[in-house]
Amino acid sequence: MPFDNILGLAALASVIPLIILYLLRPKPLQLKIPSLMFLMRAEQKKKRFANLRRLIRDPIFLAQLLVLILISIAVAAPFYTSEESLSGEHTVFVIDASASMNTDGRFDSATEIAKTYVSKKNSIILAQNIPVTVLEAGGSSATKDTLDGLSGKGTVADLSTSITNAMRMLSNEGGRIIVISDFTNWEGEDPVSAKRLAESYGMKVSFVRVGAPADNVGIIQGWLEAEENSYTYNCVVKNYMETTQNVNLEIDTSGSETKKSVTLEVKPFSTNQFKLTNVGPGVSTLRITKDDSLITDNTAYISIPSDVHNELLLVTDVKNSPASVALSLLPNIRATQSNNVPSDLSDYKVVVIDTQQRALTTEEVTLLDTFINNGGEVLFIASSTLDPVVASFDLLKFLPVKPIAMMESNNGEALKVVQETRLTEDVRFEDIAVYTYLNATIRADAVSLVDTDSGIPMLAYWSVGDGTVMYLGLSDELGEDAWNNFHNLPEYPVLWAKLIAWLGGAGDIGDYNVQTGAISALPNEMDVSTPSATVTTSRLLYDEVGIYEVAGKNIAVNLYDDMESDTTIDSSGVMDRATSQEGSQIVRENTYTSKNYIDIYLIIIAMLLVIVEILIIRSRGEL
């Protein structure tokens, strides 16, 4: 019989003390009676085995011995294997939560249909651009309650990845996958291919279509252009109907007590563009007044911060370093350069430390300590001055990484993104070669975004007091002693723009106006007001259309997706392909090897033996 914990059999050694205890227990006092001496001599040969025979005949000893043996074997987790059929009792629901599912109540229909498929054990995956598991292995009652509490979102759904996640849930015992969607648009791979893959592993996958083609007029694109003292908003409206539509736009600009309106003539299956000039600070909206089948794309939100300028201090002892050049070219950034940390940092939102020839003094470290704990944002660029040999402990304790020593790589260390965020988008870290770096480890409460292939953090951050400290392991040194080639790549100013905008809270107007599906890494876990609720998170997915309030900033989130707004798409072709058997091939049988553990039964028998022992002791009058 196989065991999961073979070391547990060592517990069988516990029977040895039991046997010794019984052999050494006190014996009754024996008296020699002369008249019976001949009988005692006849028994001399039997005494050699008397103790052993007495043990075998003692029911209490036998019960205790069996209890120890059974418990010892149970600790070793014995089991036997059997071939079981893949069960259909576990149902995984993949429910499309994309923007198009808000058309004519499609999402509500999907949740009602799902209730008719509920089984003994159920899981629910909301298919968004990033699949979200909202229930795992729940009972029928919990499943129905969860379905009642769900609502549609505003992203594009990645159905293929959602089906793949469902496969992982069923990889051991099998089950069925119910995909409920309008199948009009998706992100990633073809969901039919994912369906066939799951079926090839013996899983039953059903596609359930909801909704029918419907008319729609929506705002499919919008962007801001900076003017001298304001912004111009460009809006694109598309008509998905077969007839020309006169689309009335209601404009509510921040700071204005009256609403304006404009009418656009949009031809069938065509677009028309509108510009809104002199958009000032605050939140403004453009709304199509006539409701249609999909209201998610009827309103466009615009957010302009009251102050889009960042006051930044660069502390460096090098003239014309790559960092100073990049910062000087960033729009809406007022960068001041200094050789040391000034005594008054109240005018700055962000401080960048790029000292390459001298370590910061104790006084400078104290000033930064106060600045950070009062809500300041500091970015440290790696250099030899952060080597523990020369840097003070008080300085190093600020860093989200713990430096160990300087290291060199002749062939160059490659980089990889370990956490996808807006900071890492559009930056090809794989093109960066790192020849010199600080060997370091990430601290317990810090977040690493980019590592070397060997796991050395190169871009990390954490919270200190009310502020944030970020570490960039890509040094700015130039010439023959250059640590890396990053400053020669076109992504160099791109990353700096992202870093300063993220740290400073203002900067790029694009950080205040994003599309659904975007992800933002927050400096720490915080409360965020979404268009529908308040959540606490450190990694925010913008999956609804509307205004998000993040750390005192208003973030406008819009759909802006032509295909997702096209509610006229007939998805019957997807259903035809899904029911076709072409290309299907079973690569896994309909059974799986199951481990059947018997330890619980051994424990029950041991408990029964204990009860028998108590009854025997009681019958002897010893209890």
Side-chain angles (χ1 to χ4, degrees):
M1 178 181 295
F3 299 91
D4 249 6
N5 180 24
I6 193 66
L7 293 178
L9 294 177
L12 288 171
S14 61
V15 304
I16 298 175
L18 177 67
I19 296 173
I20 294 175
L21 180 64
Y22 268 84
L23 290 174
L24 297 180
R25 68 178 179 177
K27 301 179 179 62
L29 180 63
Q30 298 183 6
L31 297 176
K32 293 183 179 181
I33 303 175
S35 61
L36 298 178
M37 287 294 292
F38 70 96
L39 293 175
M40 296 183 66
R41 291 192 187 97
E43 294 293 326
Q44 288 295 325
K45 295 181 180 179
K46 298 181 180 180
K47 285 184 178 181
R48 190 175 304 171
F49 302 101
N51 289 339
L52 182 59
R53 280 195 294 269
R54 186 165 58 249
L55 287 181
I56 295 175
R57 288 196 300 268
D58 189 341
I60 295 180
F61 168 75
L62 293 176
Q64 292 176 344
L65 180 64
L66 286 173
V67 167
L68 288 176
I69 293 174
L70 290 173
I71 292 177
S72 299
I73 295 176
V75 171
F79 65 90
Y80 67 92
T81 60
S82 62
E83 290 297 315
E84 303 288 345
S85 60
L86 290 173
S87 171
E89 290 186 347
H90 190 177
T91 300
V92 180
F93 295 98
V94 175
I95 301 178
D96 187 347
S98 64
S100 64
M101 287 290 287
N102 295 312
T103 304
D104 291 339
R106 293 178 185 178
F107 187 83
D108 292 336
S109 298
T111 56
E112 289 302 315
I113 290 173
K115 292 178 182 178
T116 64
Y117 288 90
V118 171
S119 59
K120 183 178 179 181
K121 183 166 64 174
N122 310 271
S123 299
I124 302 174
I125 297 175
L126 277 185
Q128 304 181 61
N129 64 313
I130 296 178
V132 178
T133 300
V134 295
L135 179 68
E136 187 167 357
S140 59
S141 178
T143 302
K144 292 178 180 179
D145 290 342
T146 302
L147 289 170
D148 287 335
L150 297 179
S151 60
K153 302 300 181 179
T155 67
V156 181
D158 189 343
L159 294 174
S160 176
T161 301
S162 300
I163 296 172
T164 301
N165 289 355
M167 287 176 58
R168 294 192 186 100
M169 292 183 180
L170 303 176
S171 59
N172 290 328
E173 299 181 5
R176 62 177 180 173
I177 302 172
I178 308 296
V179 184
I180 309 176
S181 170
D182 55 13
F183 298 105
T184 59
N185 183 41
W186 57 80
E187 187 177 84
E189 300 296 328
D190 186 352
V192 176
S193 299
K195 176 181 184 292
R196 289 175 178 166
L197 177 62
E199 290 173 336
S200 71
Y201 280 85
M203 300 174 191
K204 183 178 180 181
V205 184
S206 299
F207 276 12
V208 181
R209 183 175 64 166
V210 294
D215 293 332
N216 184 41
V217 175
I219 300 172
I220 65 165
Q221 198 172 0
W223 68 94
L224 286 162
E225 295 177 347
E227 304 295 341
E228 185 173 352
N229 294 311
S230 63
Y231 287 87
T232 295
Y233 174 71
N234 298 269
C235 172
V236 178
V237 178
K238 185 169 183 177
N239 175 21
Y240 295 93
M241 301 185 190
E242 297 179 349
T243 58
T244 299
Q245 298 292 311
N246 290 319
V247 181
N248 184 65
L249 289 176
E250 183 180 77
I251 305 167
D252 186 3
T253 55
S254 176
S256 176
E257 297 181 356
T258 59
K259 297 180 180 179
K260 302 177 183 178
S261 64
V262 63
T263 300
L264 300 179
E265 182 182 82
V266 190
K267 297 184 180 299
F269 305 107
S270 299
T271 62
N272 200 345
Q273 186 172 333
F274 168 72
K275 287 189 176 184
L276 178 63
T277 59
N278 296 321
V279 183
V283 174
S284 303
T285 60
L286 277 78
R287 186 175 68 86
I288 298 175
T289 56
K290 183 179 179 180
D291 290 337
D292 49 31
S293 59
L294 179 61
I295 62 173
T296 306
D297 59 3
N298 282 1
T299 303
Y301 297 87
I302 310 165
S303 178
I304 307 294
S306 57
D307 183 10
V308 295
H309 290 87
N310 281 333
E311 296 291 345
L312 181 144
L313 173 67
L314 172 63
V315 179
T316 181
D317 50 12
V318 178
K319 292 184 178 180
N320 298 323
S321 67
S324 64
V325 174
L327 291 173
S328 67
L329 298 176
L330 294 181
N332 303 320
I333 297 293
R334 287 194 286 259
T336 302
Q337 188 167 321
S338 174
N339 292 327
N340 51 44
V341 179
S343 59
D344 184 6
L345 295 172
S346 60
D347 292 337
Y348 304 104
K349 290 184 178 180
V350 180
V351 174
V352 178
I353 305 297
D354 186 25
T355 54
Q356 300 178 18
Q357 299 173 0
R358 69 170 186 89
L360 296 181
T361 65
T362 302
E363 182 181 356
E364 290 175 309
V365 172
T366 302
L367 291 170
L368 288 177
D369 186 5
T370 304
F371 176 71
I372 295 170
N373 281 280
N374 289 336
E377 318 288 328
V378 177
L379 170 62
F380 287 91
I381 302 177
S383 71
S384 57
T385 61
L386 294 182
D387 190 324
V389 175
V390 296
S392 68
F393 172 78
D394 290 336
L395 171 62
L396 296 180
K397 72 179 183 180
F398 291 149
L399 301 180
V401 300
K402 184 178 180 180
I404 300 173
M406 289 183 58
M407 301 287 288
E408 292 187 359
S409 173
N410 294 330
N411 298 325
E413 285 279 338
L415 302 184
K416 61 181 179 180
V417 176
V418 294
Q419 184 168 324
E420 295 282 353
T421 67
R422 297 191 65 206
L423 285 174
T424 58
E425 290 178 354
D426 305 321
V427 179
R428 295 177 57 84
F429 287 98
E430 62 271 19
D431 292 344
I432 301 174
V434 180
Y435 301 100
T436 306
Y437 58 93
L438 281 175
N439 184 18
T441 57
I442 193 74
R443 295 191 189 272
D445 297 328
V447 177
S448 181
L449 303 179
V450 179
D451 288 355
T452 66
D453 279 341
S454 56
I456 307 300
M458 299 300 288
L459 180 60
Y461 68 91
W462 72 343
S463 298
V464 177
D466 293 331
T468 304
V469 177
M470 179 169 279
Y471 167 77
L472 178 62
L474 301 171
S475 174
D476 257 1
E477 291 196 24
L478 299 175
E480 295 181 357
D481 297 329
W483 286 29
N484 55 76
N485 65 338
F486 185 38
H487 52 273
N488 295 324
L489 301 179
E491 286 90 351
Y492 185 82
V494 174
L495 180 61
W496 271 108
K498 290 176 176 291
L499 292 177
I500 301 306
W502 186 78
L503 285 171
D508 188 358
I509 196 66
D511 291 318
Y512 287 81
N513 298 269
V514 301
Q515 285 184 257
T516 54
I519 301 173
S520 177
L522 305 180
N524 49 50
E525 195 170 82
M526 60 179 62
D527 292 335
V528 175
S529 295
T530 74
S532 62
T534 299
V535 299
T536 302
T537 182
S538 61
R539 182 177 169 85
L540 181 60
L541 169 63
Y542 297 101
D543 58 0
E544 297 180 72
V545 170
I547 298 296
Y548 285 70
E549 294 183 15
V550 184
K553 305 188 293 289
N554 291 321
I555 311 297
V557 183
N558 296 285
L559 176 60
Y560 294 158
D561 191 292
D562 184 10
M563 292 296 294
E564 199 66 25
S565 291
D566 190 353
T567 59
T568 65
I569 297 175
D570 183 1
S571 59
S572 57
V574 177
M575 301 304 294
D576 291 341
R577 291 191 296 111
T579 55
S580 171
Q581 298 301 315
E582 181 181 353
S584 298
Q585 182 179 0
I586 300 295
V587 299
R588 174 174 173 172
E589 298 298 331
N590 292 325
T591 62
Y592 72 99
T593 301
S594 172
K595 284 184 177 181
N596 303 285
Y597 292 91
I598 63 173
D599 51 348
I600 185 64
Y601 303 107
L602 298 178
I603 293 173
I604 292 174
I605 295 173
M607 293 176 65
L608 292 175
L609 287 172
V610 171
I611 295 174
V612 170
E613 179 186 352
I614 294 173
L615 293 175
I616 293 173
I617 295 175
R618 184 174 182 181
S619 66
R620 291 179 176 180
E622 299 176 5
L623 184 63

